[in-house]
Amino acid sequence: MERPRRPSGAAGWYVKRVVAAAGDPVPPWVAGDRPGRVPPGMLVLRGDHPRSEDSKQWGLCPADRMYGVVLLRLRTGDGRATT
């Protein structure tokens, strides 16, 4: 797999949850011009933190900017999820 040319955003890579993909209804909270359904090649992203930047601010995101999939959420020794 070829690495993307540059990380997204000033802080580097983002980890976001895909909540809608091509053909799914676009949630009402998505910023910008919202078609009724997510168009091909686009995704709706959501961060886990309430103040997280995601499709609420960015709108629909190009699927080709996705680099990978999180398979396991890391946890601390006491069982709490890491941030």
Side-chain angles (χ1 to χ4, degrees), residues 14-16 45-47 49-58:
Y14 292 113
V15 176
K16 301 293 176 190
L45 305 178
R46 190 92 188 239
H49 192 278
R51 291 183 301 201
S52 179
E53 289 189 15
D54 50 32
S55 289
K56 294 184 303 278
Q57 292 81 20
W58 304 331

Side-chain angles (χ1 to χ4, degrees), residues 2-18:
E2 183 181 327
R3 288 189 81 164
R5 289 184 201 104
R6 62 187 178 114
S8 60
W13 306 106
Y14 292 113
V15 176
K16 301 293 176 190
R17 187 179 311 271
V18 175

Side-chain angles (χ1 to χ4, degrees), residues 58-72:
W58 304 331
L60 299 172
C61 297
D64 65 357
R65 296 297 308 264
M66 181 182 291
Y67 179 62
V69 177
V70 175
L71 299 176
L72 178 67

Side-chain angles (χ1 to χ4, degrees), residues 20-39:
D24 292 338
V26 176
W29 47 263
V30 173
D33 294 332
R34 292 187 318 270
R37 300 216 171 254
V38 178

